[in-house]
Amino acid sequence: MYGAAMSFAYHAYEAVHMMVSPVRGVSDAMHLAFKNPANPLTYTPFGRTVAASCELFERMTRRYGKPAFGLDETTMNGVKVAVEERVVWERPFCKLVYFDRKIPSSRRKPQPKVLLVAPMSGHYATLLRGTVEAFLPGHEVYITDWVDARLVPLSEGRFDLDDYIDYVIGMLQMLGPDTHVMAICQPSVPVIAAVARMEAESDPCAPRSMTLMGGPIDTRRSPTAVNQLAMERGTDWFRRNCITVVPFPSLGAFRQVYPGFMQLSGFMAMNIDRHVTAHYDMFKHLVSGDGDSAEKHRDFYDEYLAVMDLTAEFYLQTVDTVFVQHALPKGEMMHRDKPVDLTAIRRVALMTVEGENDDISGVGQTKAAHDLCVNIPADKRVHYLQPKVGHYGVFNGSRFRAEIQPRISDFMVSLDMEAAKDRRDDSAKEQRKALKVVG
């Protein structure tokens, strides 16, 4: 009976938004009135308190849309360079976005090609804006821009974990063998699975390296509250309690999904005290006229509160495979009808990154990849544990920019230099062989 009720959860959510709309209209009008320079009350503590209350109400009842990356330029060697976003590969559930730096051909030099695989876990790829920004000056950057499932018509078919792996393989095959793939959090499992399948098939487009950051490779190690919840409840509980149907008239009407608003509720509940304090602090900043602090709050929550729906089949297969069955570390994971054999990975270098205070993927969960990929040479492995950062700090923030990103960049550059040296050596051997034949 509860499962039947859940099928109407999305409709209830939409109904609440409609019912709140008139109140939002009144609140917006009051906000404009008490922000109007012609209103004497605007400059009083009472006026600022009313305006701040109205803004908080608007922000807490708003439906947040997908943010823009907004990376229109980068700085290379002290020179500002324009950046253009271009979609270079597209499927119903994902677009591959390339950040094309407008560099004159005379100034172009070979730089590492990086595929950032963004999490498909409720937030948009723009959550990695800071990650992209940090890599832009010295790398050719591509990112997976996953599509909100509520916007994909049923006629486009299903999308599950196997499809996710197929998408990653397709993008790597398009980009070529000199690609460095980076998986942030959730995609660590499908990315390492995709690489394993490519290596097992001797695919010449297997990437040069893979970097896994804060990912759930083996959630039996240092299990967090998230991991324990999945183990205790089991996949059927999530099917009964977390899956609902997209209502009409959305493009994806009648598609079964794990809705973004439900995922967001879980995120907020994990740190509810921090979020309440942050909103109260913003209220005080607005009343006191501290515009800079208020703007930082807006920037963070505009991103954090923008969520997308996941297809039910992808969500449930991920929960079952990664968090309940632990299929990857047990050597039992399958892609379609073929095994995901991590011992097949021999040529692709591996770097893992973890945060000391990560409360989503515990310390050791990502590092486990080194124990599973036993045939990667020792000189092609790197593990880094970043002190004093949580899950978000693994891929964003000041410590990421100062300590993590430079290490990843050095890892990629060194591999590219090694590959270039190998090509030169091979070319020299071919030339010597040709001279011997002529002689």
Side-chain angles (χ1 to χ4, degrees):
M1 183 174 179
Y2 188 73
M6 276 304 299
S7 66
F8 293 99
Y10 220 135
H11 296 77
Y13 173 75
E14 295 290 335
V16 169
H17 266 284
M18 291 179 63
M19 289 188 289
V20 169
S21 293
V23 185
R24 282 174 52 84
V26 173
S27 177
D28 290 346
M30 290 179 64
H31 184 255
L32 287 173
F34 284 93
K35 292 291 286 184
N36 190 334
N39 182 356
L41 292 176
T42 295
Y43 308 99
T44 66
F46 172 76
R48 290 196 295 270
T49 300
V50 172
S53 301
C54 291
E55 178 170 345
L56 273 184
F57 177 79
E58 188 278 331
R59 295 186 65 82
M60 293 171 69
T61 57
R62 178 196 305 177
R63 187 195 301 277
Y64 287 79
K66 178 185 176 183
F69 280 102
L71 299 173
D72 300 322
E73 64 179 21
T74 188
T75 302
M76 301 177 64
N77 299 320
V79 178
K80 289 191 179 299
V81 177
V83 177
E84 177 188 354
E85 291 179 34
R86 288 197 291 113
V87 176
V88 295
W89 184 95
E90 186 172 1
R91 295 293 183 274
F93 290 90
C94 185
K95 297 177 181 179
L96 182 61
V97 176
Y98 171 49
F99 294 88
D100 187 4
R101 300 165 302 169
K102 298 304 180 181
I103 312 169
S105 55
S106 60
R107 288 176 49 207
R108 279 194 178 271
K109 295 180 180 179
Q111 290 183 322
K113 184 194 301 180
V114 183
L115 168 60
L116 292 176
V117 184
M120 193 178 189
S121 56
H123 283 106
Y124 292 97
T126 50
L127 190 68
L128 304 187
R129 182 185 295 104
T131 318
V132 174
E133 187 176 23
F135 277 96
L136 268 179
H139 303 74
E140 299 282 354
V141 182
Y142 299 77
I143 193 169
T144 57
D145 191 8
W146 301 105
V147 178
D148 188 343
R150 68 176 275 151
L151 303 178
V152 183
L154 271 176
S155 59
E156 295 291 356
R158 312 166 29 96
F159 181 86
D160 60 15
L161 184 58
D162 289 325
D163 294 307
Y164 194 121
I165 294 170
D166 287 338
Y167 274 36
V168 173
I169 292 173
M171 286 181 271
L172 288 171
Q173 289 174 335
M174 189 273 288
L175 292 173
D178 57 342
T179 304
H180 301 273
V181 61
M182 276 181 59
I184 290 87
C185 188
Q186 167 268 321
S188 293
V189 171
V191 164
I192 199 172
V195 171
R197 290 301 312 137
M198 295 179 81
E199 285 271 57
E201 299 289 337
S202 300
D203 192 322
C205 291
R208 184 161 290 160
S209 78
M210 56 179 166
T211 300
L212 312 179
M213 308 178 69
I217 298 298
D218 187 351
T219 58
R220 296 172 300 178
R221 302 190 180 190
S222 305
T224 63
V226 175
N227 310 147
Q228 290 170 339
L229 176 67
M231 282 294 295
E232 291 168 5
R233 299 293 171 84
T235 309
D236 286 341
W237 185 91
F238 288 94
R239 181 179 289 106
R240 293 192 306 269
N241 296 283
C242 298
I243 303 304
T244 184
V245 176
V246 177
F248 184 81
S250 296
L251 286 174
F254 311 117
R255 180 181 292 282
Q256 288 194 327
V257 297
Y258 175 49
F261 68 82
M262 192 173 293
Q263 176 81 313
L264 180 61
S265 298
F267 287 149
M268 298 286 280
M270 287 179 64
N271 297 285
I272 189 64
D273 292 345
R274 189 182 70 184
H275 294 298
V276 170
T277 300
H279 280 78
Y280 180 59
D281 287 344
M282 183 192 182
F283 175 79
K284 291 190 292 185
H285 294 320
L286 290 170
V287 172
S288 66
D290 185 354
D292 290 341
S293 297
E295 191 59 32
K296 288 179 182 177
H297 176 100
R298 292 189 189 100
D299 290 344
F300 176 79
Y301 279 99
D302 282 351
E303 192 74 56
Y304 190 77
L305 298 177
V307 290
M308 56 185 282
D309 296 350
L310 313 180
T311 63
E313 56 273 16
F314 168 76
Y315 175 72
L316 293 173
Q317 190 180 356
T318 299
V319 168
D320 190 61
T321 301
V322 178
F323 298 101
V324 177
Q325 302 297 331
H326 310 292
L328 182 67
K330 288 181 178 179
E332 299 170 356
M333 184 174 175
M334 302 290 289
H335 171 240
R336 306 297 180 191
D337 58 344
K338 296 179 179 178
V340 174
D341 181 10
L342 298 188
T343 65
I345 304 176
R346 299 174 182 274
R347 298 172 295 156
V348 181
L350 170 65
M351 181 174 186
T352 53
V353 181
E354 296 181 331
E356 181 183 32
N357 302 326
D358 194 331
D359 59 351
I360 303 294
S361 295
V363 173
Q365 293 187 9
T366 314
K367 187 181 180 182
H370 291 280
D371 297 328
L372 299 169
C373 298
V374 295
N375 289 320
I376 298 177
D379 61 349
K380 288 191 174 184
R381 300 167 175 270
V382 176
H383 175 70
Y384 179 65
L385 176 66
Q386 175 61 50
K388 300 179 182 179
V389 301
H391 189 70
Y392 189 75
V394 170
F395 59 87
N396 217 331
S398 59
R399 286 194 173 94
F400 167 77
R401 291 189 298 271
E403 302 181 50
I404 298 175
Q405 190 275 338
R407 285 178 166 85
I408 298 174
S409 182
D410 289 346
F411 176 65
M412 295 174 178
V413 170
S414 65
L415 290 168
D416 281 0
M417 291 175 63
E418 182 183 330
K421 180 180 180 299
D422 290 343
R423 286 195 298 270
R424 289 194 298 271
D425 291 345
D426 290 343
S427 177
K429 286 179 183 177
E430 289 298 322
Q431 289 176 0
R432 287 195 296 270
K433 188 184 295 183
L435 288 172
K436 279 186 179 180
V437 171
V438 172

